[in-house]
Amino acid sequence: MPSYKAPVDDVLFLLKEVFHIERYDNLPGFADASIETLAAILGEGAKLCEEVLQPLNRVGDKEGCKRNADGSVTTPKGFKEAYQQMSEGGWIGLSADAAYGGQGLPHTVDAAMSEFISAANMAFGMYPGLSKGAYRALAIHGSDEQKKKYLPKLVSGEWSGTMNLTEPQCGTDLGLIRAKAVPQKDGSYKISGTKIFISAGEHDLAKNIVHLVLARIEGAPEGVKGISLFVTPKLKINADGSVGGPNGVSCGSIEEKMGIHGNSTCVINYDEATGWLVGEANRGLNAMFVMMNEARLGVGIQGLALSEVAYQNAAQYAKDRLQGRSISGVKAPGKPADPIIVHPDIRRMLMTMRAFNEAARALMLWTALKGDVALQSDDEKTRQAADDHMGLLTPVIKGVFTDKGFENAVLAQQVFGGHGYIQEHGMEQFVRDARISMIYEGANGIQALDLVGRKLPKDGGRALMTFFNEVTAFAKENSGEEMKTYVAPLTNALGHLQQASMWFMQNAVGKPDNAGAGSYDFMHLFGLVALGYMWAQIAKAALAQKKNGNGAVARMDSKLVTGKFFMERMLPETAAHLARIQAGSGSVMELPAEAF
Amino acid sequence: MPSYKAPVDDVLFLLKEVFHIERYDNLPGFADASIETLAAILGEGAKLCEEVLQPLNRVGDKEGCKRNADGSVTTPKGFKEAYQQMSEGGWIGLSADAAYGGQGLPHTVDAAMSEFISAANMAFGMYPGLSKGAYRALAIHGSDEQKKKYLPKLVSGEWSGTMNLTEPQCGTDLGLIRAKAVPQKDGSYKISGTKIFISAGEHDLAKNIVHLVLARIEGAPEGVKGISLFVTPKLKINADGSVGGPNGVSCGSIEEKMGIHGNSTCVINYDEATGWLVGEANRGLNAMFVMMNEARLGVGIQGLALSEVAYQNAAQYAKDRLQGRSISGVKAPGKPADPIIVHPDIRRMLMTMRAFNEAARALMLWTALKGDVALQSDDEKTRQAADDHMGLLTPVIKGVFTDKGFENAVLAQQVFGGHGYIQEHGMEQFVRDARISMIYEGANGIQALDLVGRKLPKDGGRALMTFFNEVTAFAKENSGEEMKTYVAPLTNALGHLQQASMWFMQNAVGKPDNAGAGSYDFMHLFGLVALGYMWAQIAKAALAQKKNGNGAVARMDSKLVTGKFFMERMLPETAAHLARIQAGSGSVMELPAEAF
C-alpha cells in the first residue's frame, strides 16, 4: 500500500525563506496568515489528506463509480464521509470570500493545499476542485442574484460544480459546439444537447450539482463568437434556496477510463433543462476562461502532486529493497544484499523526481502569489504585471508539470521493477491517474500553442520581456562565486530561451507553421528555465539559511545538491529544444497526409 | 476498435534494398528464402496477425486470465483457437531445426514475424514467444535425450515453455535465489520453492508446460555460482513421450497487473517437482542466458511493435478527426473543421513515432541477420564479429526500443485527446501493455549497466571499436553532397558517442559510480547513433531506388523526409546525453540515503 506525507515544511520554507511572504502583508487575507497560522492550517490539512483521503485512493481505483439504473451515480465506499469531513472543515472555501462563508485566505494557501489533496487522492480531489472553479467563474461573471443563490452552497460543499464544454464532435475546437439554448419568457433558457467527458458530472456526494454549460443561443453567430455560458442546476432550486425536482439533466453513462476511476466522468444529457445566462450572451468563452485558467493551474498542480507521492514511495522502496551490491563496494555487509538506493541508476531516477518536485512547488507557489496580487493589489501596474505573469506561466505550468508528473510517475514505477507493474503497490495507479492530466483542460499541445501563439506576442511581448528582465537581474545580482553553480547554467539556458523567442520573431510571422512545429519544445524550454530560476532562488535562500545558522543544515545541503543535479542533468536539455525549434517546420510538415 | 496492418512491404524493402539479403545465401536456410518466398510467408503471417490475433487483443485485455479453484487457468475467449491456428501453421517453429519439425528458416524471418505478432496481440504472442526461448536454451544446452523429448513438442506447440527466475526476495539479483534442488538416485532432482512473475506460467493452450527453472542444488556455493538450470515439466512425461500425471508444479495465484491481461503471470509453486539438470551443475545462469538474450531481443521487438500499431491508429485518427483550422490557412473548406493532421504539433507526434519505427525495424533486422551469421557462418572470425555485434546491441535494442515504444504509445494516445484516455479506442491498452517491456527481462537500468559495465570493456572494447569503424567507414564512403543531410548529423552524433566512451575510460575505471551514473544516458546515446546509422543507410537505398526508377517514388520520398526529421529533431538529443554523462556521479550520489 502506498503512503503519503504532505510536504508542509517545504511549503513553509518556500513561502518564508524564498518568497518572503511577509512582503504581501498589504493584501487582504495575508496579514491574517502569518507563517505560524499557515503552519497550523497546512498541518491540519495534511492530516486530512494523509489519514482520510490517501487511504481511499486505491479503494477508489478498484471500486470506481457506478451508474445505477435510475441514472444516479454511486461513488466508491468512503468518499461520501471524506467529502463530508472536507466540507465541514471549510477546506472547499479556503480562499473563498467570507461574505459567502469562505475562509478568506490567500489563494496561495489553497494552491498548497491542492497539491496535498491531489497527491493523496487525485480522483477525489476533483470533486471539490471543480466546485472551486465554478465558484470563481460565478464570483467574477455571475449576477448578484446568481452569486447569492449559488456561492454559499458551493463554498459549504452542500452543492458541487462542473464545467461542460466537450461534445462528441467538439473537444479543442469549441466553435463546433451544438448544444442549444432557447430563450424563455421569464429570462431563463431551455438547454438541450449532449456533453461528454464531464468530470464529477453526477455523483452522490452533494445535494445538487451546479453545471456550467456552454451552449449556443438560437440564432447566435457560428463559431466561438456564438457561444454563451449557462448555469444549469441538476435539480431545480426553490425560491427559498432549497432543492426541488429534476431539471432535465441526466447522466447517460459513465466512461470506462484508464485511471481516475474514483471520479465519475459522465455523458450528461440536457433535455430542455432550465439554465440561466452567466455574463453576456455570446461571450460564454470569456466567462468560461476564468474557470479554465483556474482549472489549468489546478491540473498542473496535479502533475506535481502525483510526481511527489510517486517519488516518496519510490524513495522508501529504494531504501528497503535489498538487491545486488554497490559497484563501488559492499555497503550493507550484514545483509544479503545492499538496498537498491546504492545503485547510481536508482539514484538518477530519484534525483530526477525530487529535482523537479522541489522547483515545481516553488514555481507553483510563486505563481499563486502572483495570482493573489493580480486579484487584490490596489496598484494597477502591479496587478497588470502579476496578471501578465499568470497568463504567461499558466500554459507552462499546465503543460510542463503534467508531462513531468507523468514521466516521474513512470520513473517511480520503474524503481519498483516488476513490483511496480502489479496493482498491489499502487505505483501503476499513479501512472494511470497522472496520464489524464496531460490531456484534459486543453491537451498539452494546446497549452504550447496558447503560449507561443497567444501569450508571447500579447502586448508586444511585454510579459515575456518582464520575465527575461527579472531572471537577468537576478543573475547579475548573484554573479558571485558562491552562486556560480546555479547562475551560470541558468544564464546559459536563458540564452537558449531568448534565441528561441528571437527565432520565432524572425521566422514565424509569415510562416505560422514554424511556430506550431516548435511550440511544444518552446513550452518545455520555458519550463526548464523557469524551474532553473526557482532552483537558483532556492539555492540562494539555502545558502543564506546556512550562513545565519537557521534551519536544518542537512535539509539545506540537500537542497543545494538537488539544485546542482538539476543544473547538471536536467537543464542541458534546453540545447536540444532550441535545436528542434530552429529546425523549423520543414520535415515536420513536408509529407502529404496520404503518406501517413 | 484499433486496427493493424503488418508492414510487410517495409520489411521486404529493408531486407532487399538496404541489407541485400542475397549476400547471405551461403548460410543454411537463406538460399531457400528468396525475396519472393519471404513475401509469401510474411504475407501469410500478416493475415494471421491482422485477422486472427488483432481482433482478440481487446478481448484479452478485458477478460484477462482466470485461475480456477483447481489451480488451472483459463485464457480469454478465442485464445485457444488462435493458438491452435498458429501451431498448425508452423509459426512457432518458423526458424526451428527441421530435425525437430521446424521450418528451418532464418531467424531474421522469425524476428520480422515477431513484430507482427506483438503488434497484433502482445499478451498472446508471449505464449509462443516463451516456447521459442525454451527451445533455444534446450537446443544449445540440453542433452540429446532432452532435445529429443522436448524440442518436437515445443516446435509443434503441443507443449509450451516458460522461464522461472524471479522469487519474492530476488529479481535482478539472481544470487539470492532460494529454490532448491535435491539430487535423486535416478539422476533427476526434486525441485522445491516459489517463483513469481512467471509469464505464461499456467494456461489452457498447451497440453504440457515445460518450465525452465533456476534453483540451487543442495550444498552448492552461495551466490550466482551455485545456481543450476532444470527442465521441470508441469505434468510427468511417460516413457513413450505422452503426458502423465501431475509433477508437483502448481499455480498459486495470478498477478493483477497494469496490462498484458491476456497473458497469465503466475506465482508457481514447486513442491518436490521432478526436474532434470540442463547443462552443467552450478552453471545454470550460463544456460539461462541463451534464453534471456533471446527474450531480450524479443522484448525489444515488442517495444517496436507497440510503437508501430499505436502509430498506425494515431495516423488514421489524425486524418479522420475534424477539429480546428490550420494556422497556415483553411485546408478543408467544405468541412466544419480541418482534419487534425494539418496541425504542426500533431505532425510532430506522428513523425516522431514513424522516424523511430522505420529505423528501429532496420536495426532489428540487421541485428537478426547478425544473429543468423553468428549461429551459422562457417568462418570463425565472421561468427565472432557477428556475436560481438549481438552482445553489444542486445541491451541497446531491449532498453531503447522499449523506452521509445512506451513513449510512442503515450504520444499516439495523446493524438486522440480525451478519446485516448477512455478504453473504447484501445489506445490506453497499448500504453499499459507497453509499460511492462521496460521492466521485464532485466529492467532497462540493468540493460544500461550490462552495456556499459560488461559489453563495452569486453575483449578490450573490440565490439565497440568495430561498430565505430563501420559507421566511420560508411560516413567516409558517403561523404558526397547528396547524403550530407544524413551523414553530417550522424558523424556529429558518433563523435558524441566516442567522447562519452572516452570519458568512461578516463573517469570510470577507478570510480565505477561514474559509469553507473552515466550508463542510462550512454544506452540512449548509443541507440540514437545506431538508429541514425540505419536512417543513413535507408536514405542511401531510397536515393538509389529513385535513381534506378525502381520502387514507389512516393514511398522513397517519405523515407527521405522521415530520415531528415530524425536527423533534425531526434538526433540533437545526443548532446544532452553527453553532457549528463560528463557531469559524472557527483550530484547523483552525494546525498546520504536518509535524505531521501
Side-chain angles (χ1 to χ4, degrees), chain B residues 426-447:
Chain B
M427 300 306 287
E428 59 90 39
Q429 185 192 343
F430 295 139
V431 174
R432 288 185 291 102
D433 286 356
R435 184 67 186 87
I436 188 59
S437 65
M438 297 155 74
I439 298 173
Y440 63 15
E441 302 312 336
N444 287 355
I446 298 298
Q447 304 301 325

Side-chain angles (χ1 to χ4, degrees), chain A residues 9-248:
Chain A
D9 286 351
D10 200 39
V11 169
L12 296 174
F13 164 77
L14 291 165
L15 290 177
K16 185 162 174 248
E17 307 302 339
V18 179
F19 299 119
H20 308 286
I21 192 170
E22 70 277 5
R23 290 183 196 160
Y24 297 82
D25 277 357
N26 59 325
L27 298 181
F30 276 83
D32 304 330
S34 68
I35 275 290
E36 293 69 31
T37 309
L38 291 182
I41 293 169
L42 292 176
E44 271 308 303
K47 253 171 67 179
L48 177 74
C49 294
E50 295 163 4
E51 295 169 15
V52 179
L53 304 188
Q54 200 277 332
L56 294 176
N57 194 42
R58 283 207 64 214
V59 179
D61 185 58
K62 280 203 99 83
E63 276 190 29
C65 294
K66 283 181 198 69
R67 181 182 176 277
N68 307 306
D70 63 356
S72 67
V73 169
T74 306
T75 55
K77 200 167 170 245
F79 272 39
K80 222 167 162 171
E81 293 73 16
Y83 182 83
Q84 198 70 21
Q85 222 173 313
M86 183 171 241
S87 305
E88 284 166 7
W91 297 106
I92 301 174
L94 203 58
S95 65
D97 198 330
Y100 302 113
Q103 310 286 318
L105 283 161
H107 288 92
T108 305
V109 184
D110 195 53
M113 184 66 190
S114 290
E115 185 200 330
F116 304 167
I117 295 171
S118 291
N121 196 328
M122 174 170 155
F124 177 89
M126 291 167 67
Y127 295 103
L130 282 153
S131 297
K132 287 191 250 172
Y135 172 92
R136 276 295 263 289
L138 287 171
I140 292 174
H141 289 282
S143 66
D144 285 343
E145 196 199 328
Q146 287 170 348
K147 290 185 202 174
K148 227 181 102 190
K149 197 172 187 178
Y150 294 104
L151 297 188
K153 306 278 187 175
L154 286 169
V155 166
S156 70
E158 204 175 327
W159 300 352
S160 73
T162 72
M163 54 198 294
N164 285 239
L165 294 81
T166 309
E167 298 178 8
Q169 80 293 346
C170 148
T172 298
D173 185 354
L174 294 173
L176 302 175
I177 279 179
R178 288 188 198 142
K180 64 173 187 182
V182 182
Q184 304 298 304
K185 281 188 187 146
D186 66 351
S188 71
Y189 291 79
K190 292 280 181 209
I191 313 289
S192 298
T194 297
K195 295 286 180 180
I196 64 170
F197 301 161
I198 307 307
S199 298
E202 173 59 33
H203 56 81
D204 55 2
L205 302 180
K207 287 193 187 135
N208 203 357
I209 299 178
V210 182
H211 296 290
L212 289 179
V213 187
L214 288 182
R216 203 177 281 288
I217 298 173
E218 272 194 322
E222 284 203 5
V224 289
K225 288 179 178 158
I227 298 173
S228 305
L229 182 65
F230 299 89
V231 55
T232 315
K234 166 182 148 185
L235 300 173
K236 286 183 177 152
I237 300 164
N238 300 322
D240 66 354
S242 64
V243 165
N247 183 31

Side-chain angles (χ1 to χ4, degrees), chain A residues 336, chain B residues 167 169-170 174-181 192-193 195 215-216:
Chain B
E167 299 177 8
Q169 79 293 348
C170 149
L174 294 173
L176 302 176
I177 279 179
R178 287 186 198 144
K180 66 175 184 181
S192 298
K195 295 286 180 180
R216 202 176 282 286

Side-chain angles (χ1 to χ4, degrees), chain A residues 171 319 323 413 435 573 596, chain B residues 171 319 323 435 573 596:
Chain A
K319 288 189 277 187
Q323 207 75 187
Q413 183 187 24
R435 185 66 184 88
E573 199 64 37
F596 287 87
Chain B
K319 288 189 276 187
Q323 206 76 186
R435 184 67 186 87
E573 198 65 37
F596 287 87

Side-chain angles (χ1 to χ4, degrees), chain A residues 263-287:
Chain A
N263 200 276
S264 61
T265 307
C266 302
V267 173
I268 300 282
N269 297 316
Y270 293 88
D271 185 13
E272 302 208 326
T274 300
W276 286 270
L277 187 65
V278 178
E280 286 176 53
N282 300 334
R283 299 268 296 152
L285 220 52
N286 191 43

Side-chain angles (χ1 to χ4, degrees), chain A residues 564 568-569, chain B residues 503 514 578-588:
Chain A
K564 187 161 163 260
E568 287 179 348
R569 299 212 156 228
Chain B
W503 193 89
N514 271 337
L578 177 61
R580 281 194 282 267
I581 291 165
Q582 291 180 335
S585 64
S587 64
V588 179

